[in-house]
Amino acid sequence: MNSAHDRIEAARARFGSRLTILGHHYQNASVIRHTDFQGDSLELARKIDGLAAEHVVFCGVYFMAESAAALARPGQKIHIPHSDATCPMADMAPARRLKDVLTALCADGRKVVPLAYVNSSAEVKAVCGLHGGSVCTSANARAMLDWALHQGDAVLFLPDKHLGANTANQMNLPQGERVQISLRPETGYADPARAAKARLFLWPGSCVIHHMLKKQDIEAIRRTMPGVKVVVHPECSPTVVHAADSAGSTSHIIRYCAEAKPGSVIAVGTELNLVLRLAERHKAEGKTIVPIRAMRCTNMAKTTEERLADLLDNLEQAAPIALPGDVAEHARVALERMLRICA
């Protein structure tokens, strides 16, 4: 029986230009080697419009494939190797609850603009599109938050409280103008006196992987590796970001490692698969790149080489991701606003 590797390569040869495989940076190396394009959420979202392929296979988690489906052309089919590869942070912000919170925050006549991190469901993105908001990635959060703050009286940033807080810190937004909401309806979601002064409402969600990283982890690695430079993802807590030498999206982390001088020692705070690839990529330059902690996303890991091979073996019969018409329409509005603003 042919190996998964051979089956994938045979399918790629069979489909030719009818097939494009996209892979997020957090995918395992055995999957990444079969992809046509690798990137973070923003880079891969930008690819969709220019893809001529009939079948687009997204190796990542479900919300990423949903975003691709919202941006796809008519007749273009978006697939994901494992439909149960979800994102716990995205699940922390159900669309129904978002509608309730927006209604409550706008009850006094204020215009609160929703801005969803791309790590959210298509339904949440659709709510943002419908209410004059948009989406952002970790790479463009500052630009998108700046835009959103000029669209109304306040912004509801969801679901990642850490990315929202770190971005607000970058912009020097006063603490007194920020409110982390409660998701308990009986409390009114936010204290009325504080809410009336708020320009930024933060949803109480976080990435379960990046939330694991603590300031003590950085302090420990600085003790064991004197002179180490530390770069982390902005889904980490503000305390961790403050303790690091640099913080930014996966693309920022990749650039940071690439631009470091030969012989540099760098500790990286993000998903382990990316850190291991960076270590291998820059080993010949004499750079030592290590994880601060071995943090693995179990949902990203659900996409395996075997799963990808199984999908490609049956691609013609596989059901593509399907979004309800109104969800696709309004999610596309939100996504295209981001792509236009950050062009």
Side-chain angles (χ1 to χ4, degrees):
M1 186 175 180
N2 290 338
S3 67
H5 177 278
D6 291 340
R7 289 158 58 203
I8 293 168
E9 291 307 305
R12 284 163 57 84
R14 186 168 67 251
F15 281 97
S17 61
R18 295 176 58 213
L19 169 67
T20 296
I21 304 177
L22 306 179
H24 190 272
H25 286 307
Y26 294 164
Q27 289 292 294
N28 186 276
S30 65
V31 172
I32 282 289
R33 63 181 174 173
H34 298 293
T35 59
D36 298 291
F37 300 103
Q38 306 90 42
D40 60 16
S41 298
L42 179 60
E43 291 166 331
L44 296 176
R46 283 176 168 157
K47 293 288 183 189
I48 302 300
D49 186 56
L51 295 177
E54 174 189 352
H55 296 281
V56 178
V57 174
F58 209 119
C59 298
V61 290
Y62 198 79
F63 75 78
M64 298 177 182
E66 280 190 327
S67 295
L71 292 168
R73 299 188 319 274
Q76 199 168 39
K77 302 176 181 68
I78 309 297
H79 306 271
I80 186 169
H82 200 307
S83 60
D84 289 336
T86 60
C87 172
M89 177 165 61
D91 295 340
M92 293 176 190
R96 182 183 68 257
R97 182 59 60 85
L98 171 58
K99 293 175 186 176
D100 292 344
V101 171
L102 269 179
T103 299
L105 294 180
C106 295
D108 63 354
R110 298 184 82 204
K111 182 181 179 183
V112 179
V113 178
L115 180 64
Y117 188 26
V118 73
N119 296 41
S120 55
S121 70
E123 288 86 354
V124 162
K125 293 180 178 72
V127 173
C128 293
L130 189 60
H131 288 82
S134 187
V135 299
C136 71
T137 70
S138 55
N140 64 19
R142 181 171 182 168
M144 291 307 302
L145 181 55
D146 181 67
W147 170 85
L149 286 167
H150 288 85
Q151 305 308 305
D153 301 304
V155 174
L156 172 58
F157 188 98
L158 72 154
D160 187 359
K161 64 181 179 182
H162 292 327
L163 179 61
N166 287 320
T167 305
N169 289 342
Q170 279 187 317
M171 299 171 68
N172 296 314
L173 191 70
Q175 289 288 343
E177 296 182 3
R178 312 179 199 179
V179 172
Q180 183 173 306
I181 65 167
S182 162
L183 292 183
R184 297 172 60 190
E186 62 270 22
T187 68
Y189 299 113
D191 174 75
R194 293 192 64 205
K197 300 176 183 178
R199 295 184 64 212
L200 177 63
F201 295 98
L202 296 171
W203 197 274
S206 61
C207 169
V208 296
I209 304 304
H210 289 106
H211 187 70
M212 292 167 53
L213 197 61
K214 305 300 179 186
K215 179 183 177 182
Q216 302 93 288
D217 297 318
I218 295 179
E219 292 171 341
I221 205 159
R222 288 197 192 280
R223 285 194 300 270
T224 58
M225 303 179 75
V228 66
K229 293 295 184 181
V230 177
V231 58
V232 301
H233 196 281
E235 289 177 13
C236 296
S237 71
T239 302
V240 167
V241 167
H242 183 73
D245 296 292
S246 185
S249 67
T250 51
S251 294
H252 170 86
I253 291 170
I254 291 167
R255 285 194 303 273
Y256 187 91
C257 293
E259 293 170 2
K261 295 178 180 178
S264 296
V265 179
I266 305 168
V268 181
T270 194
E271 212 279 341
L272 185 60
N273 279 315
L274 175 61
V275 184
L276 295 178
R277 272 202 300 281
L278 290 173
E280 184 63 27
R281 183 181 304 168
H282 296 293
K283 183 169 59 175
E285 302 164 29
K287 299 176 187 178
T288 300
I289 298 174
V290 299
I292 301 173
R293 284 184 63 169
M295 304 186 298
R296 290 187 182 272
C297 176
T298 56
N299 279 284
M300 282 286 184
K302 288 178 180 177
T303 299
T304 63
E305 196 173 32
E306 189 70 30
R307 281 278 186 173
L308 178 56
D310 290 344
L311 171 63
L312 295 180
D313 284 344
N314 301 283
L315 194 58
E316 296 284 16
Q317 295 78 40
I321 289 180
L323 300 177
D326 58 335
V327 171
E329 176 187 354
H330 296 302
R332 185 183 186 98
V333 167
L335 285 158
E336 288 184 338
R337 277 182 186 142
M338 174 190 71
L339 294 172
R340 183 175 65 252
I341 293 162
C342 297

